[in-house]
Amino acid sequence: ARAARARAATGRSLAIAMRRRTTTATAGRRLSRADAIEIRSYGARLGNGYGSGHEFSLTVTLPGAQNFDLIVDTGSPLTYFPCVGCDAELCGYHEHQYYDWRLSNDFRLLNASMNAADAAFCDAMPVAHNVSADGECLFGLEYLDGAQGGGSMIEDVVSVGDELSPAKMIFGCGGVVEANGGFDRQDGMAGFSRGNTAFHTQLAKAGVINAHVFGFCSEGSGTDTAMLSLGRYDFGRDLAPLSYTRILGADDLAVRTMSWKLGEAIIASSSNVYTVLDSGTTLVLLPPAMRDDFITKLVAQMAATHPELELFDDEDLGQMCFSSATPVLTAKLRDEWFPKLAITYDPDITLILPSENYLNSHFYIPHTYCLGIDESDDGTILLGQQALRNTFIEYDLENDRVGVVVAQCENLRKKFAPDTPHNPWRFVATIFILLFTACVVSAVSFCLYAKFGAQKPFKYRVFQVSDILDEEIEMGNVVDT
């Protein structure tokens, strides 16, 4: 889990020794050009036994039916995970074993010395990079939390979801070491920021998705599921119309915040702030003056409305926390007692968010909620998973805009991911199965009749009136009754 978005590393590169393999073309059957996919975290709480984050993982499949769980990170531009040949000191230990590229006929190690296209791709990469003496395209990563890593760029066939065609993609074979020397449980990263290396950029370039668009919808607190849509996906009436704001800059998926309001109180220094949307970060980072005013106003409002609340600073977590002995501070009471947060984006798009978008459950003390907001060091806002709950965000890179709307992400996921009836072949297959079943039932019925029913031939009989009417009953009596 990253504490903040990736920064380009300087002067650091690591090579991985790999054997080159002859490349052969692979043609995959085209299925659909948009998909909604369920993604999961390794725990339902922002803090869990596997790390300090609540990042969602996208499962990708590579040749040899090898699966890998990659953090969906809109704050990182590069996709990477460990491959055979990588030193364990760099690539570590994760949910799955390393990718064995020897099982693929399409594996290719980029060579910037011999291939002009590889050289151009390597030169345009939005992370630190250089070329080794034998032409390998090397990458380096450094994060604000002190984690560092690197590796070599390769190309292979990647499959994602159950509706999209496989695509040849360029990604990193390598890893990242945490500042404390540890490793994430997830196998690596799926970079969903900007640049030629981004996951969605390569899907769009390959024509696998119908537009350079993807969407993200993270469910509420206490859940471990979210939804990722790839391509311009139509949710119909199940999703309210989106409101769009401009994407700022060339490197980040960022928008402009016009104001924050807690209850009825405007938060100071919240106007006209560059805001990064970062699904790979857990908490929220605010400029110091803005964070201080948020805390001041929150404490004042809660002291005035619910003096029974106990406020304490958890030194282990470095967070301010709230609890209540009587009554117990349940999630229901949290939503009722704490003020809503209104975030307004340029030009005039306001999202009204519940308290779960700025409070998270304490790591181990039940019915205790802590403020999930830290300080940024560059005057910007960084919105991590905490603030993105139950908000559908569409990243429309074709039109340089972001669409947002408050949504019930769980309902969207249950209806549209992963079994979505937008594949016409699935409909045709269903009709065929129904017709085939009807034919089989009819055939069996005919056989049973031919075997048993035909043994007793049907005989016609002409009834006389005297057979069915009692001559002693007169019509007059019938009318009288």
Side-chain angles (χ1 to χ4, degrees):
R2 298 279 73 81
R5 62 186 183 278
R7 299 294 192 190
T10 57
R12 178 181 177 87
S13 61
L14 298 132
I16 300 174
M18 296 183 180
R19 177 172 58 86
R20 291 175 175 79
R21 191 178 184 90
T22 303
T23 302
T24 57
T26 297
R29 177 175 65 88
R30 184 171 299 283
L31 299 174
S32 177
R33 299 187 65 212
D35 196 11
I37 303 167
E38 178 181 275
I39 54 179
R40 289 184 173 272
S41 67
Y42 287 137
R45 293 180 291 112
L46 287 180
N48 53 67
Y50 300 108
S52 60
H54 187 57
E55 296 81 15
F56 292 97
S57 299
L58 172 68
T59 300
V60 300
T61 303
L62 276 83
Q66 301 177 77
N67 293 331
F68 301 93
D69 294 341
L70 308 180
I71 298 172
V72 178
D73 188 0
T74 57
S76 297
L78 187 70
T79 296
Y80 63 87
F81 48 89
C83 305
V84 168
C86 182
D87 194 311
E89 291 184 0
L90 168 65
C91 288
Y93 310 96
H94 306 276
E95 182 71 8
H96 298 94
Q97 295 177 323
Y98 292 4
Y99 173 53
D100 193 344
W101 44 270
R102 296 169 296 184
L103 299 181
S104 174
N105 291 325
D106 296 278
F107 167 83
R108 186 176 70 87
L109 185 67
L110 265 62
N111 191 317
S113 297
M114 304 294 293
N115 187 308
D118 289 353
F121 186 93
C122 189
D123 187 59
M125 287 170 51
V127 297
H129 56 274
N130 59 29
V131 178
S132 68
D134 59 354
E136 290 187 31
C137 178
L138 309 177
F139 71 91
L141 294 172
E142 183 177 356
Y143 291 86
L144 294 180
D145 63 355
Q148 295 184 359
S152 300
M153 299 301 294
I154 72 165
E155 181 183 69
D156 212 335
V157 175
V158 177
S159 298
V160 59
D162 60 354
E163 302 292 347
L164 300 177
S165 299
K168 279 191 175 181
M169 296 182 64
I170 295 174
F171 54 91
C173 266
V176 167
V177 183
E178 302 289 343
N180 62 4
F183 303 94
D184 287 330
R185 180 181 174 185
Q186 295 92 339
D187 300 299
M189 190 80 71
F192 271 79
S193 185
R194 307 184 75 176
N196 63 334
T197 58
F199 198 93
H200 52 85
T201 300
Q202 297 196 62
L203 290 182
K205 184 177 180 180
V208 172
I209 54 178
N210 58 13
H212 194 181
V213 176
F214 71 95
F216 194 91
C217 205
S218 171
E219 296 175 23
S221 60
T223 65
D224 62 355
T225 44
M227 184 185 69
L228 175 72
S229 62
L230 296 171
R232 197 177 298 281
Y233 197 94
D234 183 11
F235 294 96
R237 296 181 178 180
D238 292 277
L239 183 66
L242 300 174
S243 299
Y244 289 94
T245 183
R246 294 181 301 113
I247 294 180
L248 305 178
D251 300 324
D252 301 313
L253 290 175
V255 297
R256 188 174 306 283
T257 293
M258 304 309 294
S259 72
W260 272 34
K261 185 162 66 171
L262 186 64
E264 298 301 320
I266 298 292
I267 302 302
S269 304
S270 65
S271 177
N272 197 28
V273 185
Y274 186 90
T275 303
V276 177
L277 307 176
D278 190 350
S279 65
T281 295
T282 301
L283 304 181
V284 177
L285 303 182
L286 298 181
M290 184 177 173
R291 179 179 181 270
D292 290 345
D293 194 57
F294 186 95
I295 293 175
T296 298
K297 287 184 167 61
L298 177 61
V299 171
Q301 290 185 37
M302 300 316 299
T305 57
H306 294 283
E308 64 270 35
L309 280 173
E310 299 176 10
L311 174 64
F312 66 96
D313 290 322
D314 191 306
E315 296 182 357
D316 293 334
L317 304 181
Q319 295 179 346
M320 180 183 71
C321 303
F322 296 88
S323 65
S324 173
T326 306
V328 173
L329 186 59
T330 62
K332 184 174 182 296
L333 281 183
R334 175 203 63 194
D335 292 339
E336 293 176 357
W337 287 6
F338 285 82
K340 294 184 182 299
L341 171 63
I343 302 179
T344 300
Y345 299 104
D346 181 47
D348 189 21
I349 303 167
T350 300
L351 302 181
I352 308 297
L353 307 173
S355 58
E356 69 171 359
N357 287 64
Y358 59 86
L359 293 175
N360 60 79
S361 297
H362 193 280
F363 283 15
Y364 52 86
I365 303 177
H367 303 112
T368 299
Y369 297 92
C370 303
L371 184 64
I373 298 178
D374 287 333
E375 287 187 2
S376 65
D377 58 1
D378 56 3
T380 66
I381 295 174
L382 190 143
L383 298 183
Q385 281 294 340
Q386 169 112 24
L388 303 179
R389 287 168 166 170
N390 278 325
T391 303
F392 183 85
I393 306 175
E394 180 188 82
Y395 299 90
D396 185 348
L397 282 302
E398 286 190 350
N399 298 296
D400 286 324
R401 62 181 186 174
V402 170
V404 294
V405 68
V406 174
Q408 289 298 316
C409 296
E410 181 179 4
N411 295 340
L412 285 178
R413 173 185 58 82
K414 287 182 176 180
K415 182 169 183 178
F416 294 98
D419 296 322
T420 311
H422 57 258
N423 183 3
W425 290 109
R426 193 176 278 176
F427 173 77
V428 172
T430 302
I431 297 299
F432 175 79
I433 292 172
L434 292 175
L435 292 175
F436 179 77
T437 303
C439 291
V440 170
V441 172
S442 299
V444 171
S445 300
F446 178 79
C447 292
L448 291 174
Y449 169 76
K451 183 175 181 180
F452 300 105
Q455 295 177 359
K456 298 180 180 180
F458 181 76
K459 294 182 179 181
Y460 289 95
R461 178 185 175 188
V462 179
F463 288 93
Q464 301 295 326
V465 174
S466 59
D467 292 333
I468 58 176
L469 293 179
D470 188 344
E471 294 180 352
E472 295 181 357
I473 299 177
E474 296 182 0
M475 295 301 296
N477 295 333
V478 174
V479 173
D480 293 339
T481 59

